Amino acid sequence: MRDPIRVLILGTGQMGSGIARLVCEKQGLELVGAFARRSSRDGMDTGQAIGLGHNLGFAISNDLNTLIEHSRPHIAIQATSSTIEDARSEIELLVRHGVHVITIAEQAAYPAHNAPEFTEETHWLAVSHNVAVLGTGINPGFVMDLLVIALTGVCADVHSITATRINDLSPYGPSVLSSQGVGLSPEAFQAGVESGSIAGHYGFSESVQMIADAVGWDIERLEESREPIISQVIRTTPFVTVEPGQVAGCRHTATAWAGGSEVIRLIHPQQIAPQQEGIETGDSIEIYGVPDIHVSGSPEIPGGDATIALAVNMIPRVLNAEPGLHTMKDLPVPSALLADVRSFVRADRIMD
Amino acid sequence: MRDPIRVLILGTGQMGSGIARLVCEKQGLELVGAFARRSSRDGMDTGQAIGLGHNLGFAISNDLNTLIEHSRPHIAIQATSSTIEDARSEIELLVRHGVHVITIAEQAAYPAHNAPEFTEETHWLAVSHNVAVLGTGINPGFVMDLLVIALTGVCADVHSITATRINDLSPYGPSVLSSQGVGLSPEAFQAGVESGSIAGHYGFSESVQMIADAVGWDIERLEESREPIISQVIRTTPFVTVEPGQVAGCRHTATAWAGGSEVIRLIHPQQIAPQQEGIETGDSIEIYGVPDIHVSGSPEIPGGDATIALAVNMIPRVLNAEPGLHTMKDLPVPSALLADVRSFVRADRIMD
């Protein structure tokens, strides 16, 4: 049996810590290092910092270059950033050291249209260093794009697609809640949308373009709207209480046109405690075509846990991939890893 | 723009004719030949035989070798057979002529466990002739295996999986109905199961093994049961009327164990006119793990139309694949082809 697959984690927030703990659970993977940008975490034992409950014997580092050289990872999972601008230098440093990269930065899930220069340069940098790079996550990356694309595979024709994801923000703390306008008055929400402080969901553009490229639609217009979800009742979470008339969340919608017709609509209302107002959470995909396809699930696939799982479950897919920059639609589907992860890696992949 | 992708169809029954008509609809594909085993169709114009309503200018042939040499296809879609024993010689002849192959033979959807010698020999034959071979279809190939696998991708752990497909046999004629025991007494159904004349669904073993290999379960036992669906009411289709107490179809179930536990259960009751007894058709996938995943859709993805679409939609995936024998879990997901099919094929694929 070959040696364990050496994994480096970048980021020790909620996502990074969850990914690191899952790496520690999986046979055939070895967590060999953890990078954090926050210098306050520099020197803290990684096992304690990620919530394992015991020491791992190595500290969190905020010197990525030295960490790579000392820990010699085969693959790194980046959970430090949402934007390409912010994620890029770390990705490039990893690639230049010959390290495969999985990033959960939303903009990197499908960068070809919004960041063509990053896409081109990262692809060829990865090719020249013989490694693969992938952006993944629940959304963008899976539930409103990859799953949609796969379901169009049973269609002889498709006229339009609507995907809806109704989730519950109750587990989230102040920074997420404020980005969705939770607790604001409708007027303050509107001002926040105009100023950009209420962002809603990150990743609609990426999901729309991934779907469009998969089926061959040339998107000529993409519009996004962010509407307040006004609570009718008192909604309470550990972090906030929203009174009737206040904003419980943001209903973010993207609509895309091709050939003069609306072809894709993605609807993602994010709010606290929807069940306190009788709203059921869930994911649904409706494809209007030949034939029509309707698939749904309730409750929604939990975003945080699913992103953690996807980041780890894609490790063998990335190790098996051709060198270059990949997207979820261009690799085989992920699967749970219930055996030694090394058994999912092609025998011709050198891992030294 | 490169020349159209030249497609040969094998089989001009319901599936083969549907695939051939869809090939004719798709920009960038050209139907260049049709093979039928039945000599009565030899010489009939292909356009008439497949229900296009106009001539295509070439006849259906029952001489595959000559047809390949004259029509020079890039890729062939085989819809002549359900079993490997029956499909194999045609696949091999195509591969030896350097033709890529998509087959809807159920046993070829995941042949590694049930036909290891075919799998090994076909893989290396395809490699040596620089072509790719794929088995696909709605089931096995998509709804009870590929989709299940993809959904496990959001799970950190999986304990067990149940997938259910409740469909309606009303569109089908005598041969399908008799293979499901429709119209029999319960006693005659039982005798038919024992004699093998009531086969139920083809492909459970393939779906179970595809899922198990994807997640890393070592299946130690696989049991199938075929139970009669006894009608409580009069059920009527254009082909048959079933009285109360008679058999309306076959409830076919597969159960698989790994590590001493039941890990996969696939449930596929196939019957005529389920809605006449208030039974809703549909597909559902339940994954018990971390987290639990529940996804369902109603009505069921229509089997015939979906298999036709998948066979055509996988054309660019097969042309882009590495040489060898592939399965749906090892290639990128299918998608509807809504632009010129040539635009989905990698530029480095020589098509001459």
Side-chain angles (χ1 to χ4, degrees):
Chain A
M1 178 67 83
R2 61 178 99 178
D3 289 338
I5 298 162
R6 300 170 65 84
V7 184
L8 175 66
I9 184 76
L10 280 72
T12 55
Q14 195 181 345
M15 289 296 99
S17 294
I19 292 166
R21 288 195 304 272
L22 189 55
V23 166
C24 292
E25 278 178 26
K26 291 289 176 193
Q27 197 187 348
L29 299 182
E30 183 180 355
L31 185 69
V32 296
F35 165 79
R37 294 179 179 180
R38 284 174 284 181
S39 58
S40 69
R41 295 211 134 179
D42 193 19
M44 185 186 295
D45 184 87
T46 299
Q48 301 298 340
I50 66 173
L52 264 189
H54 59 83
N55 285 354
L56 282 171
F58 56 89
I60 290 181
S61 165
N62 61 10
D63 176 353
L64 184 57
N65 195 68
T66 303
L67 179 60
I68 297 170
E69 288 173 357
H70 286 183
S71 65
R72 297 176 295 105
H74 296 116
I75 188 163
I77 303 179
Q78 183 191 42
T80 47
S81 170
S82 286
T83 68
I84 284 171
E85 185 182 2
D86 191 34
R88 183 169 185 167
S89 64
E90 291 168 0
I91 295 172
E92 288 180 357
L93 186 63
L94 290 159
V95 170
R96 287 182 195 283
H97 279 85
V99 179
H100 301 272
V101 179
I102 294 172
T103 176
I104 64 167
E106 286 91 335
Q107 286 188 347
Y110 203 76
H113 292 260
N114 295 328
E117 182 252 346
F118 163 83
T119 302
E120 189 76 6
E121 292 193 4
T122 305
H123 178 71
W124 291 112
L125 188 70
V127 168
S128 72
H129 288 86
N130 201 30
V131 296
V133 178
L134 171 72
T136 192
I138 185 68
N139 186 28
F142 190 83
V143 72
M144 298 185 96
D145 38 42
L146 181 69
L147 213 48
V148 171
I149 291 166
L151 288 166
T152 70
V154 301
C155 297
D157 198 7
V158 174
H159 312 305
S160 70
I161 293 167
T162 299
T164 307
R165 177 165 170 82
I166 304 173
N167 65 340
D168 183 357
L169 296 178
S170 300
Y172 293 94
S175 70
V176 168
L177 298 184
S178 75
S179 74
Q180 306 290 335
V182 175
L184 297 181
S185 69
E187 297 74 24
F189 181 95
Q190 204 51 50
V193 169
E194 283 161 22
S195 75
S197 67
I198 295 174
H201 169 62
Y202 284 101
F204 270 149
S205 170
E206 287 72 18
S207 292
V208 164
Q209 295 294 356
M210 195 193 300
I211 295 168
D213 285 352
V215 302
W217 279 329
D218 196 0
I219 299 298
E220 60 213 15
R221 188 153 61 98
L222 172 64
E223 287 182 6
E224 299 192 37
S225 74
R226 295 166 184 82
E227 304 295 333
I229 300 167
I230 313 290
S231 196
Q232 308 294 317
V233 299
I234 297 174
R235 300 197 198 185
T236 305
T237 81
F239 299 100
V240 68
T241 294
V242 166
E243 301 290 333
Q246 286 185 324
V247 172
C250 176
R251 180 184 161 92
H252 194 167
T253 302
T255 310
W257 286 262
S261 299
E262 182 189 315
V263 289
I264 301 173
R265 182 170 292 198
L266 304 181
I267 304 166
H268 191 14
Q270 302 200 74
Q271 62 201 295
I272 59 159
Q275 73 289 350
Q276 291 179 19
E277 201 170 309
I279 297 165
E280 200 177 24
T281 63
D283 296 295
S284 85
I285 297 169
E286 295 176 87
I287 299 172
Y288 303 98
V290 182
D292 290 343
I293 302 291
H294 303 283
V295 169
S296 62
S298 183
E300 85 279 17
I301 297 176
D305 289 348
T307 295
I308 289 167
L310 282 165
V312 175
N313 289 338
M314 288 306 290
I315 288 175
R317 301 288 182 276
V318 169
L319 295 177
N320 289 341
E322 289 180 33
L325 177 62
H326 295 275
T327 71
M328 289 297 281
K329 83 172 179 63
D330 302 313
L331 293 181
V333 295
S335 62
L337 305 177
L338 307 179
D340 190 307
V341 179
R342 290 169 285 191
S343 68
F344 299 99
V345 179
R346 289 168 58 144
D348 62 356
R349 289 308 187 254
I350 297 159
M351 304 286 297
D352 55 16
Chain B
M1 176 66 85
R2 61 179 98 177
D3 288 339
I5 299 161
R6 300 170 64 84
V7 184
L8 174 66
I9 184 76
L10 281 71
T12 56
Q14 195 181 346
M15 289 296 99
S17 294
I19 291 166
R21 289 194 305 272
L22 189 55
V23 166
C24 291
E25 278 177 28
K26 291 288 176 194
Q27 198 187 347
L29 298 182
E30 182 181 354
L31 185 69
V32 296
F35 165 79
R37 294 180 178 179
R38 285 174 284 180
S39 58
S40 68
R41 295 211 135 180
D42 192 21
M44 186 187 293
D45 184 87
T46 299
Q48 301 298 341
I50 66 173
L52 265 188
H54 59 83
N55 284 354
L56 281 171
F58 56 88
I60 291 180
S61 165
N62 61 10
D63 175 354
L64 185 57
N65 194 68
T66 303
L67 179 61
I68 296 169
E69 287 174 358
H70 286 183
S71 65
R72 297 175 295 107
H74 297 116
I75 189 163
I77 302 179
Q78 181 191 43
T80 46
S81 168
S82 286
T83 67
I84 284 172
E85 185 182 5
D86 191 33
R88 182 168 187 169
S89 64
E90 291 167 1
I91 295 172
E92 288 181 356
L93 185 62
L94 290 159
V95 170
R96 287 181 194 284
H97 279 84
V99 180
H100 301 272
V101 179
I102 294 172
T103 176
I104 63 167
E106 286 90 337
Q107 286 188 347
Y110 203 77
H113 292 260
N114 294 329
E117 182 253 346
F118 163 82
T119 302
E120 188 77 5
E121 291 195 2
T122 305
H123 177 71
W124 291 112
L125 188 69
V127 168
S128 71
H129 288 86
N130 201 30
V131 296
V133 177
L134 172 72
T136 192
I138 186 68
N139 187 26
F142 190 83
V143 73
M144 297 187 95
D145 38 43
L146 181 69
L147 213 48
V148 172
I149 291 166
L151 288 166
T152 70
V154 301
C155 296
D157 197 6
V158 174
H159 312 306
S160 70
I161 294 166
T162 299
T164 307
R165 179 165 168 81
I166 304 173
N167 66 340
D168 183 357
L169 296 178
S170 300
Y172 294 93
S175 71
V176 168
L177 299 185
S178 76
S179 74
Q180 305 291 335
V182 175
L184 296 181
S185 68
E187 297 72 25
F189 181 96
Q190 205 51 50
V193 169
E194 283 161 23
S195 75
S197 67
I198 295 175
H201 169 62
Y202 283 100
F204 270 149
S205 170
E206 287 72 19
S207 292
V208 164
Q209 294 293 356
M210 194 192 300
I211 295 169
D213 284 351
V215 301
W217 279 330
D218 196 0
I219 299 298
E220 60 213 15
R221 187 153 61 100
L222 172 64
E223 287 182 5
E224 299 191 37
S225 74
R226 295 167 184 81
E227 303 295 331
I229 299 167
I230 312 290
S231 197
Q232 307 293 315
V233 299
I234 298 175
R235 300 195 196 184
T236 305
T237 81
F239 299 101
V240 69
T241 294
V242 166
E243 301 290 333
Q246 284 186 326
V247 172
C250 175
R251 180 184 162 91
H252 193 167
T253 302
T255 309
W257 286 261
S261 299
E262 183 188 315
V263 289
I264 301 172
R265 182 170 292 198
L266 305 180
I267 304 167
H268 191 13
Q270 302 200 77
Q271 62 202 294
I272 59 159
Q275 73 288 349
Q276 291 178 21
E277 201 170 307
I279 297 165
E280 200 177 23
T281 63
D283 295 295
S284 85
I285 296 169
E286 296 175 87
I287 299 172
Y288 302 97
V290 182
D292 289 342
I293 302 291
H294 303 283
V295 168
S296 62
S298 183
E300 85 280 17
I301 297 176
D305 289 349
T307 295
I308 289 167
L310 282 164
V312 175
N313 290 338
M314 288 306 290
I315 289 175
R317 302 289 183 275
V318 169
L319 294 177
N320 289 341
E322 291 180 32
L325 177 62
H326 294 275
T327 71
M328 290 296 282
K329 85 172 178 63
D330 302 313
L331 293 181
V333 295
S335 62
L337 304 177
L338 308 179
D340 191 307
V341 179
R342 289 168 287 190
S343 69
F344 300 100
V345 179
R346 291 168 57 144
D348 62 356
R349 289 308 187 254
I350 297 159
M351 305 285 298
D352 55 16

